[in-house]
Amino acid sequence: LVLCGAASAQAKMVTVNAGGGADYKSIQAAIDAASPGDTVQVAAGTYKERIRLASDIDVLGAGFKTTIIDGDTGDAGGIVVYANGVDNMVFDGFTVINSGHLTRPPAGIYILSGSLVVSNNLVANNYNGFRISGGSSAVIRNNIITKNGHPDSWINYGIISINSTPLITNNVIADNESKGIYIGRVDDSEVRGTRIINNTIVKHRSDGIQCYKSAPTIKNNIVTGNGYGIAASHHPDGDRHPTLSYNNVWDNIDNYN
């Protein structure tokens, strides 16, 4: 019991308020100062910065309506929230905006490997909303992902996942410039295990969901008002196909392709 109490006492709340009166004024400074098991609690406000998440340190905003991370920091742009090999943490309660589009691969939230939960955020006005790669098994849950992309490009996405197996669930993915969700791979490795469940995917000039050399589970989604609703292509061995069930797919230019 003494050991348990000592371990619990080590975890702490690290507070952030851009206006002062907290431990730190910037989110990144708080993350850098935190230890595994700590929680970074961010007060309402606008934070003009780009941040790198860390394993075992939750980062919690006061809600996406009031807590904004704005990546428009005056340079060429790129990534607003970056998670490289990050595990066992939650990023929750923010608006994430303004990645810019001049540095590749630009995204509001870029997850490179690792397994974390990204929930209850608004991700808007970025080149890509989410970019997921490197074998990540992230959970993308209860987010609003909208108005990302560039009008002069067809290769931007609400969510793009390459060689990874995320769970994408209970999100609203709407009115992004090109595609809603892209699930693919760039080599001959298997991409099975991705799950796209209970999302609303609407108003994309290209595909609502595009599967390239991949076989995700696609279940209980609403897919409407897109170019193609659900599209799949380039399955070299002929037996890798998305598993579809209980989706409501209608009023796309072509519902399936």
Side-chain angles (χ1 to χ4, degrees), residues 35-60:
S35 300
D38 291 349
T39 297
V40 173
Q41 185 69 58
V42 183
T46 297
Y47 298 83
K48 280 229 172 194
E49 57 180 308
R50 297 183 184 153
I51 66 171
R52 296 175 66 100
L53 303 178
S55 294
D56 301 299
I57 299 171
D58 292 345
V59 180
L60 308 179

Side-chain angles (χ1 to χ4, degrees), residues 30-244:
I31 294 171
D32 293 345
S35 300
D38 291 349
T39 297
V40 173
Q41 185 69 58
V42 183
T46 297
Y47 298 83
K48 280 229 172 194
E49 57 180 308
R50 297 183 184 153
I51 66 171
R52 296 175 66 100
L53 303 178
S55 294
D56 301 299
I57 299 171
D58 292 345
V59 180
L60 308 179
F64 72 81
K65 293 183 179 179
T66 61
T67 317
I68 301 164
I69 304 176
D70 184 350
D72 185 7
T73 57
D75 57 18
I79 299 162
V80 184
V81 177
Y82 186 37
N84 185 353
V86 171
D87 295 306
N88 192 34
M89 67 86 63
V90 176
F91 178 78
D92 183 288
F94 294 90
T95 287
V96 177
I97 57 173
N98 292 335
S99 71
H101 64 277
L102 297 179
T103 302
R104 305 284 180 162
I109 299 176
Y110 183 15
I111 299 169
L112 177 60
S113 73
S115 181
L116 66 157
V117 176
V118 181
S119 55
N120 299 310
N121 303 287
L122 170 63
V123 182
N125 197 34
N126 304 287
Y127 189 80
N128 296 296
F130 283 79
R131 185 178 180 92
I132 305 166
S133 64
S136 173
S137 56
V139 177
I140 312 301
R141 181 174 64 207
N142 296 339
N143 302 283
I144 301 171
I145 304 160
T146 186
K147 296 190 181 302
N148 299 285
H150 191 280
D152 295 333
S153 175
W154 287 84
I155 52 171
N156 43 71
Y157 312 89
I159 299 175
I160 175 171
S161 174
I162 302 292
N163 288 4
S164 295
T165 56
L167 168 61
I168 301 169
T169 185
N170 292 329
N171 302 283
V172 175
I173 304 166
D175 201 20
N176 298 287
E177 192 64 44
S178 182
K179 303 176 191 292
I181 299 175
Y182 177 96
I183 306 295
R185 64 191 177 110
V186 293
D187 55 30
D188 290 329
S189 63
E190 289 280 358
V191 178
R192 299 178 187 267
T194 296
R195 291 166 291 163
I196 303 171
I197 300 173
N198 293 339
N199 302 282
T200 298
I201 304 162
V202 299
K203 292 183 65 177
H204 300 93
R205 60 177 166 145
S206 186
D207 306 328
I209 302 172
Q210 182 181 10
C211 308
Y212 177 83
K213 295 184 179 180
S214 59
T217 296
I218 302 174
K219 182 178 180 180
N220 287 349
N221 300 282
I222 297 171
V223 185
T224 186
N226 305 287
Y228 292 122
I230 300 174
S233 65
H234 295 83
H235 301 280
D237 59 12
D239 68 353
R240 274 175 287 188
H241 300 284
T243 300
L244 308 181

